[in-house]
């Protein structure tokens, strides 16, 4: 039986490996702590101070700025991360693991900013405000993806729907005003989605291929229209929509620190907040959401209960397109004031990454959209502050994280089971 | 008495097939009616029509004397008809309550789900029929037997009077089948009526009130368990007398051909699929592996044939340590493999029969000279095998996807048996086949054994294992709980082992370690 016990031991080793996620995360936290100490603290001279400006520029709700000794703070944060890592390795934070991981990430960011701005100042409030703005198209794109994939249709065409929305919003916005512009962007996105729906639901075309051709088609036709028409002098009045003006929410915008960051924006930001809440409730608390998720997981089961799989999928895809169209109108009507053929810059695809990173939930999409938005903001600020790191490297971080999540090293992301598979009724 | 359900002259044509030919059926309140027939006889088509998944070309459906038009499952549900599907229609990531109420949700004003109310209804049904289901359990965490009960609850939740159960016992252990029969009886005691679809004669005799036999889309006979016996029913099902018992002599085992020691297989998610098992198979004997589906049999076969890697342990074939050899090397050792899923792993469906017949020898003489294929040799080989193995196909160049399941399986058997083999690994060799084909394949396997081939037979049909095997190993949660002599094994004992309960009777006693509990 000696052989067996050896085998058993080895098996237990395997089993332990199966539970080793906890330890890997512990090691990651520990490594972050060490990184802060050896890379950041060691390169900070002890007498420098960092000034964190907590009020976004131009806001009248002021929050006192924070000044502190750069070295002291980075050291404290390094120690906290190392301690968290050791605790995680030995005992584990259990269900709080992800929260602690996020805190460690925030501590890394703070140390990084402290170090980068040591001897100077950085407008943290302003950065957070811009993070919110930057995340809008990403989060809306992710919500669009969630709606579609939860019903079992992969929507890789979000980028194309966005660019269509941006163009249509700009043209009709120039002609009839911003609200009509936004509305027509939503409708345009929905119409593009109808193509995707018919191809992938009725004709059962591979959804990736359908999405890809829509992307190529819409990107092609929008740049054609821009270069051949909108850039001509006599047609330029079609591309001067202007932008929605920001307005602050009464009371909420007066809350110190978070008020100006969260509640002093354009309509798109508020729409993002509302849509995250509405979609969460709709997907997980209503009859419609239950049926939609059922169709995305096991359409045949839904069909045998008398649920119209095709109808639910059509509705989901079209709503997804409308959301993407709205996200597109952000670029022309919320940001630039005109249409430009490269303005979406892959945000639709980034939205899909945020959808996966957020595990196909609206709240998760908001979280990951904010993270991606922050990375963009940070990258912009790096150039301003002359940080010795190329901003392109920083911009890669969110996508590396997405790959890590997909590979299942830290947490696991699991999408709807039937996403991407056309439903055939007669194959029962 | 007026029947609660009556079908009159139901006819359904698929392209080229008359699936149902003027079928009449009556179901009375409080009875279990068995619908007996081979695969492809038209039972499932008929029930799918009744449940609104297909629509009939001709014929009428009456519920409680009223003619009704069933166009969709919704109509069927409104008419009080519910169906337990052969492949469960449950959403693995949803909990019991969500699955049960889907399509018939309890809502508060505004379309918001009322899960609490639904959960208490589920609990009430579970208590009423002794189903013992927790409304908040997630489906994928439940064993198959309990998942089936969730299916039953789902139907009862929709207030069904008529329950259609499509091969409900196929996925269960013998003990779970007993439990199922108890549940079915408590259902009819409370006034429900059941149509029970099956091709298993024993079950029909055991638990039904009336039997209807369908063959080739037609009703060919009606009977009751008191009047009928398995032989007459089998004759009705197949249309000719069949041998239910496989004739075989006692085995004369020779040298050890396959020796497996401490084999352990771990899947991608680091879950142990095969947990330290050891056994051997000798020339001229059949070792049967019994067990409920999903207890590691699939992984065992895939590991032995080189399709997945072993984590630990050794596999010895004819004295060669062939652990983690690639499949071609194993094939060249003289190992034949009849895979579990013939369409996925056994055949290349779109290519011709003749090419499928040389899938594992095409690169060798005489089918290839150097890198050049020899089409004439391949065609001649195919024609010989088609005659020898009685493969019903128009010619050797049609794609294998056009053949019936039985003939597809014969293609595999012909391919594997037509070269010199020392070891046959047969996984579910008769799954989904009609009684005639089963008889044929069983006879061929016994012939191979008598020629001195070592055979590992994996089947979830306990009857098949008991009939063919000389020794029977029972797998449960990746372990072999016991290896017993087929002559002395009883169905009860094997059934208990399949449920993970070791008995004193069997020679080797091991306590089943709960692998999954350690892993998760």
């Amino acid at each position: 039986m000696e052989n067996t016990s050896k085998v058993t031991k080895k098996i237990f080793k395997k089993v332990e490996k199966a539970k080793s996620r906890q330890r890997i995360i512990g090691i990651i936290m520990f490594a972050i702590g060490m990184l802060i100490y050896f890379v950041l603290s060691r390169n900070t001279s002890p007498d420098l101070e960092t000034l964190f400006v907590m009020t976004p520029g131009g806001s009248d709700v002021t929050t006192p700025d924070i000044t502190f000794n750069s070295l002291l703070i980075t050291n404290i944060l390094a120690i906290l991360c190392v301690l968290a890592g050791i605790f995680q390795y030995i005992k584990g934070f259990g269900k709080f693991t992800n929260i602690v991981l996020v805190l460690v990430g925030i501590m890394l960011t703070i140390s990084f900013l402290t170090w980068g701005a040591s001897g100077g100042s950085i407008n943290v409030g302003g950065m957070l405000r811009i993070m919110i703005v930057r995340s809008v198209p990403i989060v809306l794109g992710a919500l669009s993806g969630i709606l579609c994939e939860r019903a079992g249709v992969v929507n890789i065409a979000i980028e194309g729907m966005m660019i269509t929305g941006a163009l249509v919003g700009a043209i009709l916005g120039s002609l009839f005003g911003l609200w009509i512009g936004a509305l027509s962007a939503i409708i345009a996105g929905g119409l593009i989605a109808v193509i995707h729906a018919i191809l992938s639901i009725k004709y059962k075309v591979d959804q990736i291929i359908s999405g890809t051709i829509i992307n190529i088609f819409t990107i092609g036709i929008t740049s054609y229209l821009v270069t051949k028409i909108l850039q001509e002098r006599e047609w330029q009045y079609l591309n001067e929509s202007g932008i929605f003006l920001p307005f602050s929410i009464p009371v909420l915008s007066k809350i110190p620190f978070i008020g100006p960051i969260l509640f002093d924006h354009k309509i798109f930001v508020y729409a993002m907040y509302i849509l995250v809440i509405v979609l969460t409730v709709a997907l997980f608390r209503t009859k419609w959401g239950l049926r939609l998720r059922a169709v995305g997981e096991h359409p045949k089961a839904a069909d045998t209960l008398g649920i119209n799989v095709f109808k639910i999928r059509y509705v989901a895809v079209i709503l997804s397109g409308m959301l993407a169209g709205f996200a597109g109108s952000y670029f022309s009507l919320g940001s630039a004031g005109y249409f430009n053929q490269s303005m979406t810059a892959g945000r639709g695809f980034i939205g899909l990454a945020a959808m996966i990173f957020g595990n196909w939930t609206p709240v998760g999409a908001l979280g990951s959209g904010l993270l991606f938005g922050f990375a963009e903001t940070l990258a912009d600020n790096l150039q301003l502050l002359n940080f010795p790191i190329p901003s392109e490297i920083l911009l890669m971080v969110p996508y590396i994280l997405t790959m890590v999540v997909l590979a299942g090293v830290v947490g696991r992301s699991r999408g709807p089971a039937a996403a991407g598979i056309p439903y055939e009724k007669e194959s029962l | 008495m007026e029947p609660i359900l009556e079908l009159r002259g139901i006819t359904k044509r698929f392209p080229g097939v008359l699936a149902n030919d003027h079928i009449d059926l009556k179901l009375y309140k409080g009875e279990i009616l068995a619908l007996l027939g081979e695969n492809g006889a038209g039972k499932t088509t008929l029930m799918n029509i009744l449940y609104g998944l297909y629509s009939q070309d001709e014929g009428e459906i009456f519920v409680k004397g009223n003619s009704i038009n069933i166009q969709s499952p919704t109509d069927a549900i409104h008419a009080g008809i519910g169906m337990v599907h052969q492949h469960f229609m449950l959403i693995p990531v949803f909990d019991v309550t969500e699955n049960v109420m889907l399509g018939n949700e309890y809502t508060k004003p505004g379309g918001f789900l009322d899960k609490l109310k639904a959960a208490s209804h589920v609990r009430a049904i579970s208590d009423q029929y002794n189903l013992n289901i927790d409304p908040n359990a997630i489906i994928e965490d439940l064993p198959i037997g309990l998942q089936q009960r969730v299916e039953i609850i789902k139907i009862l939740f929709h207030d069904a009077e008529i329950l259609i159960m499509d091969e409900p016992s196929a996925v269960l252990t013998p003990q779970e089948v007993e439990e199922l029969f108890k549940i079915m009886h408590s259902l009819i005691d409370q006034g429900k009526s059941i149509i029970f679809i099956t091709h298993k004669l024993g079950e029909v005799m055991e638990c039904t009130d009336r039997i209807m036999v369908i063959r080739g889309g037609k009703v060919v006979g009606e009977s009751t368990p008191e009047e009928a016996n398995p032989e007459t029913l089998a004759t009705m099902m197949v249309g000719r007398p069949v041998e239910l018992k496989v004739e075989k002599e006692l085995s004369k085992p020779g040298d050890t051909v396959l020796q497996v020691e401490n084999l352990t297989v771990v899947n991608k998610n680091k879950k142990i699929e095969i947990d330290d098992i050891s056994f051997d198979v000798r020339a001229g004997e059949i070792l049967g592996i019994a067990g409920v589906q999903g207890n590691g049999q699939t992984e065992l076969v895939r590991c032995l044939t080189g399709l997945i890697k072993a984590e630990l342990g050794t596999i010895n074939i004819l004295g060669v340590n062939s652990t983690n050899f690639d499949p071609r090397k194993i094939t060249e050792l003289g190992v034949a493999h009849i895979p579990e899923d013939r369409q996925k792993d056994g055949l290349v469906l779109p290519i011709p029969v003749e090419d499928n017949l040389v899938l594992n020898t095409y690169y060798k003489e005489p089918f290839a000279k150097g890198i050049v294929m020899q089409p004439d040799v391949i065609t001649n080989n195919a024609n010989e095998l088609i005659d020898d193995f009685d493969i019903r196909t128009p010619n050797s160049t049609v794609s294998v996807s056009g053949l019936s399941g039985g003939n597809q399986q014969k293609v595999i058997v012909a391919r594997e048996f037509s070269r010199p083999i020392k070891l046959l690994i047969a996984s579910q060799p008769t799954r989904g086949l009609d009684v005639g084909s089963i008889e044929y394949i069983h006879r061929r396997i016994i012939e191979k054994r008598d020629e001195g081939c070592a055979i590992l037979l994996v089947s979830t049909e306990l009857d098949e294992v008991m009939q063919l095997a000389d020794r029977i190993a029972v797998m449960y949660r990746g372990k072999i709980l016991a290896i017993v002599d087929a002559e002395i094994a009883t169905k009860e004992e094997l059934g208990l082992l399949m449920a993970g309960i070791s008995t004193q009777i069997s020679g080797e006693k091991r306590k089943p370690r709960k692998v999954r509990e350690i892993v998760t």
Side-chain angles (χ1 to χ4, degrees):
Chain A
M1 284 322 270
E2 201 210 331
N3 202 1
T4 320
S5 76
K6 223 196 270 168
V7 169
T8 321
K9 251 186 220 161
K10 274 200 168 179
I11 292 168
F12 269 104
K13 242 186 194 164
K14 290 280 163 204
V15 173
E16 279 183 7
K17 211 177 162 190
K19 289 160 52 176
S20 64
R21 191 175 102 82
Q22 171 201 335
R23 294 192 171 172
I24 291 178
I25 294 179
I27 292 168
I28 290 174
M29 291 176 177
F30 186 83
I32 290 176
M34 298 313 264
L35 179 88
I36 296 174
Y37 181 74
F38 283 105
V39 180
L40 305 179
S41 291
R42 283 302 204 59
N43 293 316
T44 309
S45 53
D47 48 348
L48 285 181
E49 297 210 318
T50 304
L51 171 69
F52 275 9
V53 179
M54 305 306 273
T55 312
S59 174
D60 50 0
V61 183
T62 51
T63 311
D65 298 340
I66 301 171
T67 313
F68 48 81
N69 182 292
S70 314
L71 182 63
L72 180 70
I73 288 296
T74 49
N75 278 342
I76 290 174
L77 293 173
I79 290 164
L80 283 176
C81 289
V82 166
L83 288 178
I86 290 170
F87 185 79
Q88 170 72 10
Y89 188 86
I90 295 169
K91 290 201 76 173
F93 286 101
K95 60 180 177 178
F96 299 110
T97 306
N98 285 341
I99 297 171
V100 177
L101 199 59
V102 170
L103 287 177
V104 168
I106 292 173
M107 288 195 274
L108 172 64
T109 316
I110 294 175
S111 335
F112 186 71
L113 293 176
T114 306
W115 164 76
S118 58
S121 72
I122 191 165
N123 190 333
V124 176
M127 277 177 73
L128 291 176
R129 207 185 108 82
I130 293 167
M131 167 185 84
I132 301 277
V133 175
R134 290 274 190 172
S135 66
V136 167
I138 299 172
V139 174
L140 292 178
L143 294 179
S144 162
I146 289 167
L147 202 49
C148 210
E149 295 211 358
R150 281 280 184 176
V153 180
V154 171
N155 188 356
I156 206 172
I158 292 172
E159 179 79 7
M161 296 167 182
M162 275 190 184
I163 200 137
T164 311
L167 176 71
V168 172
I171 295 175
L172 288 162
S174 308
L175 288 174
F176 304 111
L178 295 170
W179 288 99
I180 300 287
L183 189 68
S184 47
I186 293 172
I187 294 169
L191 288 176
I192 298 289
V194 171
I195 303 175
H196 185 50
I198 291 175
L199 286 178
S200 58
I201 300 169
K202 183 159 185 218
Y203 293 106
K204 300 175 180 41
V205 174
D206 185 298
Q207 294 164 10
I208 303 290
I209 293 177
S210 165
T212 307
I213 56 169
I214 288 174
N215 279 336
I216 294 170
F217 167 72
T218 49
I219 289 165
I221 198 153
T222 48
S223 15
Y224 172 80
L225 289 174
V226 169
T227 46
K228 289 289 168 199
I229 299 173
L230 293 187
Q231 282 173 0
E232 296 295 322
R233 187 166 278 279
E234 71 238 70
W235 295 108
Q236 252 178 18
Y237 73 94
L238 284 178
N239 197 8
E240 294 170 341
S241 59
I243 54 172
F244 280 99
L245 293 174
F247 60 94
S248 49
I249 306 270
V251 186
L252 290 178
S253 64
K254 302 293 176 216
I255 302 171
F257 189 54
I258 63 166
I261 292 172
L262 294 179
F263 301 110
D264 186 11
H265 284 284
K266 296 177 192 124
I267 180 81
F268 294 94
V269 171
Y270 304 128
M272 170 178 84
Y273 300 155
I274 292 166
L275 281 166
V276 167
I277 295 166
V278 166
L279 264 183
T280 303
V281 172
L283 281 176
F284 299 103
R285 292 274 179 274
T286 69
K287 179 168 142 178
W288 177 77
L290 184 74
R291 292 181 171 198
L292 183 130
R293 286 183 293 131
V295 165
E297 293 285 347
H298 194 339
K300 209 179 278 181
D303 197 6
T304 60
L305 291 166
I307 292 168
N308 189 334
V309 175
F310 297 121
K311 191 176 141 198
I312 289 205
R313 286 195 168 175
Y314 270 107
V315 169
V317 174
I318 292 168
L319 284 179
S320 159
M322 291 165 78
L323 252 172
F326 178 63
S329 72
Y330 159 81
F331 293 101
S332 49
L333 305 178
S335 175
Y338 57 87
F339 178 80
N340 164 325
Q341 66 231 51
S342 61
M343 69 194 324
T344 53
R347 289 308 194 296
F349 296 111
I350 297 171
L352 285 175
M355 166 190 81
I356 295 166
F357 197 78
N359 204 6
W360 284 266
T361 62
V363 175
L366 177 66
S368 44
L370 289 175
L371 175 71
F372 291 14
F374 187 74
E376 286 183 16
T377 315
L378 205 54
D380 291 346
N381 280 280
L382 288 190
Q383 286 154 334
L384 293 175
L385 288 167
N386 281 327
F387 279 8
I389 298 174
S391 61
E392 289 80 5
I393 300 275
L394 200 81
L395 278 174
M396 289 193 305
V397 171
Y399 310 109
I400 293 169
L401 284 179
T402 304
M403 285 189 267
V404 168
V405 167
L406 273 180
V409 181
V410 186
R412 191 187 294 131
S413 195
R414 186 161 96 169
I421 307 163
Y423 180 59
E424 309 247 13
K425 208 174 165 74
E426 279 291 304
S427 70
L428 274 154
Chain B
M1 195 171 76
E2 186 182 68
I4 184 161
L5 173 75
E6 187 177 357
L7 304 183
R8 275 190 218 152
I10 299 288
T11 301
K12 174 77 183 173
R13 293 179 196 88
F14 289 117
V17 193
L18 187 57
N20 287 159
D21 184 5
H22 296 92
I23 292 186
D24 296 319
L25 175 153
K26 280 184 181 136
L27 176 71
Y28 295 95
K29 192 173 166 71
E31 73 165 352
I32 299 179
L33 170 69
L35 204 55
L36 185 66
E38 298 205 305
N39 288 291
K43 302 167 297 200
T44 302
T45 306
L46 183 67
M47 290 304 114
N48 281 341
I49 289 171
L50 182 54
Y51 193 62
L53 293 168
Y54 297 152
S55 53
Q56 71 267 34
D57 298 326
E58 286 169 41
E60 271 188 289
I61 300 168
F62 296 87
V63 173
K64 294 179 184 161
N66 304 318
S67 170
I68 56 161
N69 181 13
I70 297 177
Q71 288 298 327
S72 70
T74 322
D75 297 339
I77 292 165
H78 283 311
I81 300 168
M83 184 157 174
V84 174
H85 298 265
Q86 196 172 352
H87 307 284
F88 299 154
M89 293 297 168
L90 296 171
I91 292 148
V93 297
F94 282 15
D95 67 22
V96 171
T97 307
E98 285 174 326
N99 265 289
V100 168
M101 73 171 163
L102 188 64
N104 192 12
E105 298 86 352
Y106 281 152
T107 49
K108 296 176 218 169
F112 295 103
L113 296 171
D114 194 346
K115 266 190 83 176
L116 283 178
K117 192 174 160 202
S120 71
H121 190 173
V122 170
R123 193 169 280 120
I125 296 172
S126 170
D127 291 346
Q128 189 184 353
Y129 297 96
N130 264 328
L131 299 175
N132 205 7
I133 292 288
D134 171 13
N136 299 317
I138 303 290
I139 295 297
E140 62 188 351
D141 299 339
L142 294 177
I144 297 291
L146 293 187
Q147 291 190 11
Q148 188 169 55
R149 294 184 191 181
V150 176
E151 281 277 38
I152 295 172
I153 292 179
K154 198 160 93 179
I155 294 174
L156 298 171
F157 188 91
H158 292 144
D159 289 326
E161 293 290 316
I162 301 158
L163 283 79
I164 307 166
M165 306 184 97
D166 190 2
E167 307 257 359
S169 57
V171 288
L172 305 179
T173 63
Q175 278 74 20
E176 283 175 325
V177 172
E178 285 302 317
E179 288 287 312
L180 173 69
F181 289 168
K182 271 188 213 154
I183 292 168
M184 285 166 64
H185 281 112
S186 82
L187 286 166
I188 55 169
D189 287 345
Q190 307 216 17
K192 309 284 183 194
S193 317
I194 297 175
I195 300 178
F196 174 54
I197 303 176
T198 185
H199 64 261
K200 291 185 187 169
L201 299 165
E203 293 174 359
V204 171
M205 300 300 293
E206 196 180 329
C207 90
T208 58
D209 298 314
R210 251 176 351 114
I211 303 164
M212 226 174 91
V213 185
I214 294 186
R215 186 178 74 236
K218 282 195 178 107
V219 179
V220 291
E222 277 195 59
S223 189
T224 60
E226 292 78 36
E227 292 168 9
N229 63 50
E231 284 72 27
T232 56
L233 290 174
T235 308
M236 266 198 259
M237 260 166 81
V238 184
R240 62 179 167 81
V242 261
E243 287 292 326
L244 289 176
K245 195 97 184 99
V246 184
E247 293 295 331
K248 62 165 187 172
E249 291 164 19
L250 269 180
S251 65
K252 302 179 197 73
D255 300 335
T256 301
V257 175
L258 170 68
Q259 191 173 24
V260 174
E261 274 179 357
N262 303 117
L263 186 70
T264 298
V265 173
V266 177
N267 76 4
K268 273 184 287 188
N269 302 326
K270 308 286 178 209
K271 208 158 158 188
I272 297 167
E273 294 285 2
I274 299 182
D275 189 359
D276 186 23
I277 67 176
S278 305
F279 62 88
D280 52 23
V281 188
R282 294 157 71 184
E285 74 158 358
I286 299 177
L287 175 69
I289 303 238
V292 181
Q293 182 149 28
N295 276 285
Q297 302 98 315
T298 307
E299 288 75 14
L300 175 62
V301 169
R302 293 181 76 86
C303 186
L304 292 177
T305 50
L307 295 169
I308 54 175
K309 292 256 180 276
E311 195 70 28
L312 294 166
T314 54
I315 300 166
N316 239 299
I317 297 173
L318 292 162
V320 181
N321 182 349
S322 58
T323 320
N324 294 340
F325 269 23
D326 64 43
R328 177 174 285 184
K329 258 182 162 170
I330 292 173
T331 310
E332 286 176 348
L333 284 172
V335 179
H337 176 206
I338 301 178
E340 179 180 304
D341 185 337
R342 62 178 158 265
Q343 302 202 332
K344 225 167 93 193
D345 298 328
L347 299 165
V348 183
L349 288 176
I351 73 169
V353 171
E354 57 183 29
D355 292 341
N356 270 289
L357 283 166
V358 293
L359 276 185
N360 49 16
T361 42
Y362 68 92
Y363 57 94
K364 286 203 285 207
E365 298 253 11
F367 304 119
K369 282 187 181 152
I371 58 163
V372 185
M373 303 287 290
Q374 302 294 314
D376 295 346
V377 184
I378 292 173
T379 308
N380 289 339
N381 169 67
N383 289 331
E384 268 173 41
L385 292 178
I386 287 170
D387 284 348
D388 269 11
F389 287 82
D390 189 27
I391 302 167
R392 308 274 167 83
T393 168
N395 58 56
S396 67
T397 53
V398 298
S399 68
V400 80
S401 58
L403 271 53
S404 72
N407 284 302
Q408 289 181 348
Q409 192 74 339
K410 282 182 187 169
V411 170
I412 295 175
V413 171
R415 177 180 73 213
E416 299 298 327
F417 285 17
S418 61
R419 60 196 174 91
I421 55 166
K422 298 284 180 358
L423 170 66
L424 167 65
I425 298 170
S427 185
Q428 312 282 10
T430 59
R431 172 183 281 178
L433 301 189
D434 55 88
V435 179
S437 303
I438 292 174
E439 192 189 7
Y440 178 85
I441 284 169
H442 283 176
R443 216 175 53 231
R444 283 283 184 166
I445 290 176
I446 296 289
E447 272 172 31
K448 266 290 163 206
R449 181 199 77 166
D450 294 342
E451 286 169 20
C453 182
I455 295 170
L456 182 73
L457 169 80
V458 178
S459 176
T460 50
E461 297 278 345
L462 188 51
D463 290 333
E464 177 168 56
V465 175
M466 291 184 74
Q467 277 178 24
L468 290 180
D470 301 305
R471 289 186 299 141
I472 299 172
V474 181
M475 280 192 83
Y476 176 73
R477 293 195 170 181
K479 277 188 166 293
I480 289 186
L481 292 190
I483 300 180
V484 292
D485 198 326
E487 290 296 307
I488 57 161
T490 63
K491 205 167 176 173
E492 289 67 36
E493 186 194 349
L494 293 173
L496 286 173
L497 286 166
M498 282 163 73
I501 301 154
S502 289
T503 51
Q504 297 288 358
I505 321 159
S506 41
E508 198 182 346
K509 196 205 162 199
R510 273 202 211 160
K511 224 178 168 186
R513 192 154 57 85
K514 293 208 172 137
V515 180
R516 272 149 227 259
E517 282 180 15
I518 297 167
V519 176
T520 48

